[in-house]
Each structure stands twice: as C-alpha cells, then as structure tokens.
Amino acid sequence: MLKLPAEPDRAAPQASTGSAGVDHDAGDALLARVSVVIDELLEAEAAHWGAVDARVAVPVEAVRDMVRAGGKRLRPAFCVSGYLAAGGTADSERTDTVVAAAAALELLHVFALIHDDIMDNSDTRRGTPTVHAKHAARHAERGWAGEHRRFGEGIGILAGDLALSYANRLAGGLSGPALRIWNDLVTEVIIGQQLDIALAAELKADPALSRWVAVCKSGRYTIHRPLSLGAAIAGRPGLQGAFEEYGVAAGEAFQLRDDLLDAFGDGVATGKPAGLDLVEHKMTLLLALAATQDERVARLVEDGRSGGWDPAELRDALSASGVRREVEEQIDQLVATACAALDDAPLAGDWHKRLVRMAEQVAYRDR
C-alpha cells in the first residue's frame, strides 16, 4: 500500500498545527479509514449472503479476498491527496464523503482487475490465483458438471460486477462536480478496456491509439480523476486544470512503467506473470512504439496475425531495439511535465512537494 509521503525537507512527521495540509498524519489517517469502510462493507455483505447459503456469498468473498491480497491503493491515496491539497481537513463535515469516495475508487479498481484478469487470461494476481483461475480449479477438483473455464469465468464476471455495484453504492453520496467526475472515470476505464482488447485482436501498432488507452485506463483513472474527485469534494473546482495536466502526465508515466515491468520485470516482485502482455498480444504503448521504429519487432508483430507470435523472441527483440531507453526518457519527461503543472497551483501546505514525490513514486517503482 502506498503511504503518503511526508514533507521531503523534514526528517520526521510533525504534529498537526491546525492549518490545512500541514498535518502529515492526516492523509494516512484518512486512508486507514478507507480500509475500515471497505472491510466493514464486505464483512457485512459476506455475513448477510452467507446466511442465505454459502454458495451465494462466493462472489462477495472473492472481492474480499482480492482486497485482502494487498495492492498499492494508489487511487484512494490520490483522492485523499487531492482533498487535502485542496484545503480539505481530516475533521471536516466532508471527511465521510471523501473516505467513501476513496473506498469506492478501490472497489472500482478491484472490479477492473477481476475482469481484466479474465480478458488477459491471467492465472495470478498479487501473488495469488486470480478469481476465475481459482474457481475453475475448484470446479475441476470437485468434478462438477460443465466446463471448468466457463464456471471460473462466470464467478469472476459476477465478482467483478459485484465490486462495481459496491463502488457505486459507496459513491452514492456524491453530487454536483464530484458526481460528474465519478461517472466520467467509470465510463473511461470501461471504454479504455474495450479499445485495449480491440488493438490486441487487430495487432494494430498505432502509438497514438495505444497512448489513448494508457491515458484513459491509467492516466485519468489512476491519478487525474481521483485527484480531481478529492478536490471537488473539498469544494475547490479551480484546481481541475492543474490536476488534469499533472494526473494525465504522471498516469502515462505510471502506465509506461507498467509496460516496462511486464516486458522486463520480475514476476515474483510484481505479483503477476512476467511477459503476460506479450503472451496475450496486448498492444501496449511500449510495443506500439517499438513496432513503428524497429524492423524486427514489426516483423514479429506481423507474424502474430497468422498465429506466429513468439513472446520470448519478441521480448529479445524489444531488448535489442533500444525502446526501453527511449521509454525511460519519456517517463522522465512526463514526470517533469507533471511536476511543472503544479508550479502555479494554489495548493494547501506542503502539498506541492508531496505530490511531486508521489509522481516520482509511481513513475519509478519496481513493482
């Protein structure tokens, strides 16, 4: 889980002075409340539906298990940060609203992950079996009727739908600009996923389209919209422009790092199979860039149209193409763009420095 950074110039957190943005413990306290809200909701739902029949509670338990498996909690962290950076306080009457919204963002993320794992045919997530893989295996072990895979995917679809339902329930108290932001981000992540699977099926190497997927599925959904949602709840719509520029750039850097970790990272560290995007023909921005610049990569991508895609050979070609260095340079530029977007933003307390640190954390992570 991402902890909100303390002020870079201080060796240790300082006690609250009562000024907005100065309490270094406020963000972590709000995030702790987010975890409590999610846990209490899922425990209550599991108990309620489990009392009907143990089988009825299966999708609830799948959502609960996914939440408990860990994760960076980036979206709640950026929502809380947007709220505090906009001058919101931990003792405001709006606190319950931002905590519920941040919890909704995490459950929206769980929805996206569960469905994404089905579409990507992924067997592991956060170091444990994915929902559909776990239940397909259970179906096989118990000798139940029908197809193992269809059963597992059915459970996964229902669990993902349930997570989305819970997310919308928690977001039910939003209104005005905050509600519009929530509706936009829910739509964007689904539409971005549609284009993602379309490009994978067509093997279309179009950096502009792949970048749009990265921005829609990651830049807006991970950083921009959560920050803007927090600011809207705090009553500061004037920060939307700066948060959009910062969030889209930092979010694209986040996604490019994700592409690099998938292609060249350690699956044990990331908690999911290394090279899965290549195995599943995902036209990531990394691959689209390489395919338009390197003849060998372009040939291997073209071979994929007739079933000749070799993930190991493609990974070698990517390594030799020099695209990794180019993408690292792009990440540097995007981080610089994100940080510069905050220069003139009227942020509370030390939040300019703290958001700079957060952009660096998401862009240069190793998992």
Side-chain angles (χ1 to χ4, degrees):
M1 182 188 301
L2 180 74
K3 285 184 70 67
L4 301 187
E7 183 182 359
D9 293 342
R10 296 184 188 270
Q14 302 296 303
S16 174
T17 65
S19 299
V22 176
D23 184 352
H24 298 282
D25 296 327
D28 289 334
L30 290 175
L31 287 177
R33 287 184 56 188
V34 169
S35 294
V36 170
V37 165
I38 295 173
D39 288 344
E40 289 181 346
L41 169 63
L42 296 179
E43 283 299 320
E45 286 291 292
H48 174 74
W49 295 112
V52 176
D53 187 278
R55 286 163 291 196
V56 180
V58 166
V60 185
E61 292 165 352
V63 174
R64 184 183 62 189
D65 290 346
M66 174 72 86
V67 171
R68 289 179 175 176
K72 293 179 281 292
R73 302 282 173 95
L74 287 176
R75 292 148 195 87
F78 277 106
C79 181
V80 165
S81 297
Y83 171 77
L84 294 172
T89 61
D91 56 359
S92 165
E93 61 184 14
R94 299 175 178 177
T95 303
D96 288 346
T97 302
V98 75
V99 167
L105 286 166
E106 186 63 17
L107 288 172
L108 177 68
H109 185 49
V110 170
F111 145 74
L113 292 182
I114 294 174
H115 281 192
D116 199 44
D117 286 338
I118 296 171
M119 289 181 274
D120 289 350
N121 196 29
S122 178
D123 291 332
T124 61
R125 165 74 66 177
R126 295 174 176 171
T128 62
T130 53
V131 174
H132 70 280
K134 174 182 176 179
H135 288 280
R138 178 173 295 176
H139 184 282
E141 290 165 1
R142 300 187 180 184
W144 290 337
E147 298 177 23
H148 310 323
R149 176 171 176 164
R150 287 191 66 186
F151 178 83
E153 290 181 349
I155 297 295
I157 291 168
L158 292 172
D161 289 347
L162 198 57
L164 178 59
S165 171
Y166 292 149
N168 282 321
R169 182 190 302 185
L170 288 169
L174 298 176
S175 61
L179 179 60
R180 289 193 292 273
I181 292 168
W182 172 259
N183 289 334
D184 285 344
L185 76 90
V186 172
T187 301
E188 284 168 349
V189 69
I190 295 171
I191 295 301
Q193 185 64 58
Q194 158 59 25
L195 184 56
D196 193 21
I197 63 174
L199 295 180
E202 298 170 18
L203 290 181
K204 186 175 180 61
D206 185 329
L209 282 176
S210 292
R211 180 183 179 275
W212 191 89
V213 172
V215 169
C216 199
K217 281 185 61 181
S218 187
R220 296 193 184 281
Y221 156 67
T222 302
I223 302 178
H224 164 213
R225 297 296 189 196
L227 272 175
S228 294
L229 182 59
I233 293 169
R236 291 283 301 283
L239 289 173
Q240 300 300 327
F243 279 172
E244 178 174 7
E245 188 175 354
Y246 167 91
V248 169
E252 186 177 348
F254 171 85
Q255 185 58 50
L256 285 172
R257 179 61 59 196
D258 215 43
D259 293 349
L260 290 174
L261 289 172
D262 179 85
F264 306 112
D266 181 352
V268 175
T270 61
K272 56 185 179 180
L276 183 62
D277 286 347
L278 299 181
V279 172
E280 293 301 318
H281 294 191
K282 299 292 285 293
M283 190 53 64
T284 64
L285 182 51
L286 171 74
L287 183 55
L289 288 169
T292 57
Q293 298 173 10
D294 184 89
E295 183 177 342
R296 182 184 172 199
V297 174
R299 175 178 57 78
L300 290 171
V301 169
E302 185 61 32
D303 288 346
R305 298 179 186 277
S306 56
W309 185 300
D310 184 333
E313 186 179 359
L314 185 54
R315 182 174 179 170
D316 288 342
L318 285 171
S319 295
S321 71
V323 71
R324 187 174 186 176
R325 180 178 62 254
E326 178 184 343
V327 169
E328 289 285 6
E329 291 173 354
Q330 284 196 28
I331 289 172
D332 291 342
Q333 293 170 3
L334 286 164
V335 170
T337 298
C339 296
L342 302 175
D343 285 348
D344 297 322
L347 304 180
D350 59 2
W351 274 100
H352 181 282
K353 293 179 180 178
R354 298 176 76 183
L355 287 173
V356 166
R357 177 74 66 85
M358 291 177 74
E360 293 169 347
Q361 286 179 337
V362 300
Y364 300 115
R365 71 194 193 282
D366 60 2
R367 62 191 63 198

